[in-house]
Amino acid sequence: MTQALTQPTPAHEDLAIEVKGMHKWYDEFHVLKDINLTVKRKERIIICGPSGCGKSTLIRCLNRLEVHQRGEIRIDGIELNDDLKHIEKIRRDIGMVFQQFNLFPHLTVMENCCLAPIWVLKEPRREAEETAMRYLERVKIPDQADKYPGQLSGGQQQRVAIARSLCMNPNIMLFDEPTSALDPEMIKEVLDVMVDLANEGMTMLCVTHEMGFAKTVADRVIFMDSGEIIEENNPESFFSNPQSDRTKLFLSQIL
Amino acid sequence: MLVHTPHPNLPPPSTSVGVIGWARKNLFSTPFNSALTLCALYIVVRFLPPVINWAFLDANWAGSTRDACTDGGACWVFVKVRLTQFMFGFYPADQYWRVILAFGLLGVLIAWLLLEKTPKKSWVAAFTILIYPIIAFILFYGGLGLPVVETNRWGGLMLTLILATIGMFFALPFGIILAMGRRSTMPIPRALSVVFIELWRGVPLITVLFMSSVMLPLFMPEDLRIDKLVRALIGISLFQSAYMAEVIRGGLQALPKGQSEAADALGLSYWQAMFLIILPQALKTVIPGIVNTFIELFKDTTLVLIIGLMDLLSIVQSAFSDPKWLGFSVEGYVFAGLVYWIFCFSMSRYSQHLEKKLHTGHKR
Ligand SMILES: Nc1ncnc2c1ncn2[C@@H]1O[C@H](COP(=O)(O)OP(=O)(O)OP(=O)(O)O)[C@@H](O)[C@H]1O
Ligand SMILES: [Mg+2]
């Protein structure tokens, strides 16, 4: 791609995500309040907090699945606003994995993976298929390439969803509770893939309640409650020495 | 100590249990079921033989005048003698080949598109949509050296098929556009779609046809004369596209929001998401509704009778008043009904086949 869009300024160079004073409302309901967050390249961030506190809304704002009303979001130095060119560029840069997988049921696993590279990145089909096969091998299901999503187990589907996002070669990956819809024995196979990804240096933002996973991979844990970031710390301090009462209460319930 | 030995993979149990086993399981499983079976059997035995006698065994097939109909059953001679008129209306007999060629070509194209494993489908589709209509127009109407046949001489099954095909050809895409408009977040397309759909759905087709043929000319300038057939076609297409739009909107609404979110997150544009992700799934879920609308459209073409177009049903009816053939209306109606049924039933079967073919794994 030509770099016709705003060149990142040097100060922003090593910042993948920059959120400043961001607010969001659903009608009257103030769901995100004054969010400030910077994520460096290759940083791995875990977001946790009680149900309904706005975790999903926050990460969905980062690729414009939800629109924020105040404040500023910059991804790789590009400001996220109404400009469709910016949104397009940012969405190519960010991969997202959903709780409900959201695979396209009318397409095979291979077609799911190749669709966006072919139509958005205009890759030739052959090349897109080779890339897809590489990522399917990485998530350990190359043999399922010609099946339809409906014929796979939940864990396999979620791994396909991860491979599908990776095929766009994103710089940043967002995960919204990727294991919450899975049976316990399938959680591990998905987490293993995510740990691999983290070890390879992918910038990751992950909403999850898997605290074991948080302890192994996270550089930072962010705790949210009622639309605010309450606490932000490295995993050791976060789990052993939480600062606020709300964090303590949350941890006592979840651990 | 219990030692596990791996169990070999066995073939699945065979399901053939023979006729008696099948009947016991399906027809006589409970006393109530048995009673229903016997009831149905009685009705079949009581009514089927007379019908078969009338239609086949006692029927008259040979001959060319009503005097040939001496046996008690149906007089198919009537249909036989009138058959070309039922098929082609008042189209000149020496030009029938044009109609046959046009429909034959359409049949080949459709078969090409519907059958599996035929090569170059997208080229054939483009040809069918862009070039075939021109060829068909020239064949039916005339031009390029072919003598002109005015539309008032078109009639019978040919006219019915023309009305139905063109109606479907426009109703589906137009319905898709209207449904997308109605679901749009932009206020103007949405308002236009809602008004259009609700306006056409609120009016009976008869009224639409009547207005298009009787009232429209009153308001139109003298020299602008739109063909009656064209006006009927516009009426039918717009009317059915309003229904089609609602059917398709149902499909769009049934699709989980996650699908369009996933498409957005991958960077697909609105139109890419629409044509690659949303519409294929939405249309698939509403195949029964789409085919239902097609079948309705096919049968609604009979209403053009009230504006004086001679479709299959009206040409059959007009034959009843031929003094040489008074009193054979039952045969005429049975024949017309059978023709309509064959077409509608084929559409229904194809839709079932399509649903099976497009089924990809279990819905969760
Ligand atoms: N489309 C919407 N319209 C109005 N309110 C919404 C909408 N989506 C979410 N909310 C509300 O916003 C709040 C935050 O929702 P969000 O989905 O971000 O929570 P969450 O932290 O992800 O919770 P969970 O852990 O249950 O997924 C919730 O109280 C929810 O009811
Ligand atoms: Mg959530």
Side-chain angles (χ1 to χ4, degrees), chain A residues 56 99 176-177:
Chain A
S56 300
Q99 183 175 355
D176 189 0
E177 307 204 32

Side-chain angles (χ1 to χ4, degrees), chain B residues 106-179:
Chain B
L106 182 65
V108 170
L109 290 172
I110 290 180
W112 194 294
L113 292 172
L114 298 190
L115 291 179
E116 274 144 74
K117 300 206 184 82
T118 43
K120 299 240 186 323
K121 273 205 169 55
S122 44
W123 287 103
V124 176
F127 179 83
T128 311
I129 292 171
L130 301 174
I131 301 178
Y132 174 77
I134 302 169
I135 298 176
F137 176 80
I138 292 169
L139 282 174
F140 284 129
Y141 185 75
L144 290 185
L146 292 174
V148 168
V149 181
E150 291 293 341
T151 54
N152 57 16
R153 308 192 63 175
W154 302 10
L157 180 63
M158 159 198 170
L159 184 71
T160 296
L161 288 180
I162 290 175
L163 285 166
T165 320
I166 300 183
M168 292 175 198
F169 186 82
F170 284 109
L172 185 60
F174 208 53
I176 292 175
I177 293 170
L178 284 170

Side-chain angles (χ1 to χ4, degrees), chain B residues 8-61:
Chain B
N9 290 333
L10 301 175
S14 104
T15 49
S16 59
V17 283
V19 177
I20 295 175
W22 179 87
R24 187 173 293 157
K25 179 155 169 278
N26 291 291
L27 301 179
F28 300 99
S29 55
T30 62
F32 180 63
N33 198 352
S34 309
L36 281 183
T37 303
L38 291 175
C39 240
L41 216 56
Y42 172 76
I43 291 173
V44 168
V45 170
R46 177 79 179 67
F47 291 101
L48 200 59
V51 170
I52 291 178
N53 279 341
W54 179 81
F56 299 104
L57 302 181
D58 298 341
N60 305 277
W61 304 86

Side-chain angles (χ1 to χ4, degrees), chain B residues 1-6:
Chain B
M1 200 177 85
L2 188 65
V3 179
H4 173 75
T5 45

